[in-house]
Amino acid sequence: MPRTLVHRAAMTEVFLTDAVEVGDDAFLVAAQWPRDHSLYHPDRSGRTDPLLFAETIRQALVYLAHEYYDVPLGHRFVAYDLDFQITDASALQVAGEPHSVVLQARCATVGHRPPRRHGLRMEAVLTVDGEVCGHGGLRFVAVDERTYCLLRARNSVPGGRAATASAGGGGASATSVSAEAVGRLRGKDCVLERVEPGGEWRMRIDTDHAILFDHPSDHLPLMVAMEGFRQLGHLLANDGLSGDSGRAPAAPYILGSCAVTCHLFAELDLPVSLAVREDRRTAGTRRLRVDAVQCGRVIASSTMVWAESAP
C-alpha cells in the first residue's frame, strides 16, 4: 500500500496491504500486523497491542477517503473521534506467523461539502484469521489548506503563548514514569510524566519520536493523544504494576475498549495535562474517564475499560 495514501512517511509503519469495494460504501480492508514492534509490541502474555487496531482503523479510512471518495492528497485531515472494542482478546495471541487481519468496513458521509470539506465516518468489524474479535470506528473531516488555516485560527490558544506563560507550572518539576509502569519496553516510548508538587499527570511530547511523530505536525496527533490515555490507563488499572509485594502482577489488566473524542487542537509547545474524571472498579474490570487539558481547556476526552487477563 503506498505510504502517502495512509499518511505515513516510513514504509515500516504502513500496516494496510489491500482493499476492495464489495458494495455501496462497503469495503474489505486487509492488513498485516507485525509480530513485534518497538512501540506496538505484544503484552507480557503475548497478545497483540490493541492500539494496532486503532492505527489500522485510522489508516483504513484515510486510504478509502483518497481512493474511493475523491479526497485530494493535499487536504488536511482532522479527527473528531475514534473508538474500538476488543471482544475476543484470545484471537490476538501472537503465533508463529503474522495474523491475517481484515476490516469489514462501511463508510458514510457526514458534514460532507466537497470540494473544500469532505466528511467521512467509518464503522468496521475486525476479523483476525477469520474470527470476529472486535469492532471500531473513526470520524474525520478532510479540508483544503484555506479551511484548515481558518479552523486552526479559530481553535488557537487565546492570546498565544504569552497569555499562558504560567501553564508549565512555574517552579514545578516533572519526573518521567518508568516504561514498565505504562506498559512500554523503552523509556523513550513513555509519554507520561508526574509533576510535583501536586502530583499532576502530564504528557511528555517528543516530536523527534520516529513512530509517534512519523512526519511533522503542527498539533498533537490523535494517535499520540491516544497513547497518552492508554499509558495512564495502564498505570492506574495495574496500580503502577507494584501492588503490596512490589512485584508486577502475574495477570495485569488489559485494555478492552477505548473511545476518544477530540474537541480542540492541542499545541505542541504548551503543556498537556491528563485529568482523571472517573475511576470505577467493578468485578474484573476498571473503567476510566480521562480528559486531556491544555491551558484550562479540554482538548480531548477518553473512556477506557480495562479487564483482568488470564495468567
Side-chain angles (χ1 to χ4, degrees), residues 128-206:
V128 173
D129 299 329
E131 298 295 326
V132 174
C133 61
H135 56 83
L138 171 64
R139 179 170 63 104
F140 62 55
V141 296
V143 296
D144 62 11
E145 190 66 27
R146 177 178 178 274
T147 304
Y148 181 77
C149 289
L150 290 173
L151 287 173
R152 287 292 278 124
R154 186 186 308 162
N155 288 280
S156 63
V157 176
R161 189 169 179 84
T164 56
S166 64
S173 61
T175 304
S176 294
V177 180
S178 72
E180 181 189 18
V182 297
R184 301 297 87 202
L185 296 177
R186 308 181 302 174
K188 66 187 296 182
D189 296 329
C190 178
V191 301
L192 190 65
E193 59 187 19
R194 195 77 183 266
V195 181
E196 300 293 350
E200 175 186 75
W201 297 109
R202 193 166 70 185
M203 289 193 63
R204 182 170 62 86
I205 300 170
D206 177 10

Side-chain angles (χ1 to χ4, degrees), residues 192 228-238 288 290 304 306:
L192 190 65
F229 289 134
R230 182 263 286 276
Q231 290 190 14
L232 179 57
H234 186 280
L235 184 143
L236 295 176
N238 292 287
L288 294 164
V290 181
M304 297 172 282
W306 293 75

Side-chain angles (χ1 to χ4, degrees), residues 76-98:
R76 301 288 200 106
F77 282 59
V78 181
Y80 281 105
D81 53 66
L82 189 155
D83 67 272
F84 69 84
Q85 180 177 8
I86 302 298
T87 55
D88 180 8
S90 64
L92 302 185
Q93 195 74 27
V94 176
E97 59 184 29

